[in-house]
């Protein structure tokens, strides 16, 4: 249960104000088909979370606890730094002539692939014997952070103060990563 909750909260924080939210909101605004966008998001997210969690479970078999703690610390540190840094603009996929579900699925899958949330899910999965809990926590975290963006669309930036949320989330992730990294080196 620890892996489920910690992954959920970590990934939820990492996705706040992230490009996944922005692209999902743009696609919802373009297509006006919330169900198709949410379905595409769910399929893309599930696939990415499965890859991440399976990758983490393989890593768990190769290395001992101390390097795993360092891996987790680095995943959180880089996620925190990514939240605090300047963001690239999101390609709205305006030239894609595919239906709403397919555009959402492919666009969000590509955008999420190799994202900070995947590393958090992999790190959490590597630290637990039940990798499915980390996968489920990551999936629910991404969905919980992104579905409101789909429903709010253009009002997202007006209703949710994205910049302060990104800074607070980034600081929390960075702090947690530093704690894990210092523990891995036996400094804390």
């Amino acid at each position: 249960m620890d892996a489920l909750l910690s992954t959920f909260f970590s990934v939820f924080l990492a996705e706040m104000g992230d490009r996944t939210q922005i692209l999902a909101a743009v696609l919802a605004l373009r297509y006006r088909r919330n169900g198709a966008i949410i379905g595409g998001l769910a399929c893309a997210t599930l696939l990415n979370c499965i890859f991440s969690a399976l990758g983490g479970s393989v890593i768990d078999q190769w290395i001992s606890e101390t390097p795993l703690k360092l891996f987790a610390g680095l995943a959180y540190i880089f996620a925190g730094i990514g939240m605090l840094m300047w963001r690239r603009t999101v390609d709205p996929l305006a030239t894609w002539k595919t239906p709403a579900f397919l555009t959402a699925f492919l666009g969000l899958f590509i955008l999420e692939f190799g994202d900070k949330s995947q590393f958090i899910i992999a790190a959490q999965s590597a630290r637990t014997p039940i990798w499915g809990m980390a996968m489920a926590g990551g999936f629910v975290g991404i969905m919980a952070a992104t579905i409101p963006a789909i429903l709010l669309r253009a009002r997202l930036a007006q209703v949710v103060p994205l910049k302060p949320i990104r800074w607070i989330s980034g600081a929390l992730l960075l702090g947690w990563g530093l704690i894990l990294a210092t523990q891995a080196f036996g400094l804390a």
Side-chain angles (χ1 to χ4, degrees), residues 15-32:
E15 291 297 322
M16 293 306 294
D18 195 43
R19 295 180 309 152
T20 304
Q21 275 188 330
I22 296 166
L23 179 58
V26 167
L27 292 176
L29 189 60
R30 174 179 161 194
Y31 286 105
R32 302 227 178 259

Side-chain angles (χ1 to χ4, degrees), residues 68-78 123 173 176-178 180-181:
L68 284 176
K69 195 174 280 189
L70 181 59
F71 173 60
L74 290 173
Y76 283 101
I77 288 169
F78 288 122
L173 292 169
W176 181 243
L178 290 171
L180 287 173

Side-chain angles (χ1 to χ4, degrees), residues 24-97:
V26 167
L27 292 176
L29 189 60
R30 174 179 161 194
Y31 286 105
R32 302 227 178 259
R33 297 194 54 219
N34 291 350
I37 304 302
I38 292 171
L41 168 69
C43 291
T45 300
L46 182 61
L47 201 54
N48 272 316
C49 289
I50 289 171
F51 288 155
S52 304
L54 281 174
S57 72
V58 169
I59 290 170
D60 178 36
Q61 297 170 13
W62 292 344
I63 57 179
S64 64
E65 182 62 31
T66 301
L68 284 176
K69 195 174 280 189
L70 181 59
F71 173 60
L74 290 173
Y76 283 101
I77 288 169
F78 288 122
I81 290 170
M83 298 283 296
L84 297 171
M85 291 178 55
W86 169 80
R87 303 299 297 168
R88 292 186 325 235
T89 58
V90 175
D91 178 4
L93 311 178
T95 59
W96 290 28
K97 303 298 180 206

Side-chain angles (χ1 to χ4, degrees), residues 108-150:
L108 292 166
F109 178 81
I110 292 166
L111 187 66
E112 288 179 5
F113 195 79
D115 192 34
K116 61 189 163 295
S117 293
Q118 276 200 303
F119 286 98
I120 290 171
I121 294 166
Q124 291 289 66
S125 176
R127 298 183 69 207
T128 182
I130 307 170
W131 62 267
M133 295 298 255
M135 187 259 327
F139 175 79
V140 174
I142 292 170
M143 296 300 288
T146 310
I147 288 175
I150 293 169

Side-chain angles (χ1 to χ4, degrees), residues 165-180:
I165 287 174
R166 285 185 54 78
W167 285 23
I168 292 167
S169 297
L172 289 171
L173 292 169
L174 182 61
W176 181 243
L178 290 171
I179 290 169
L180 287 173

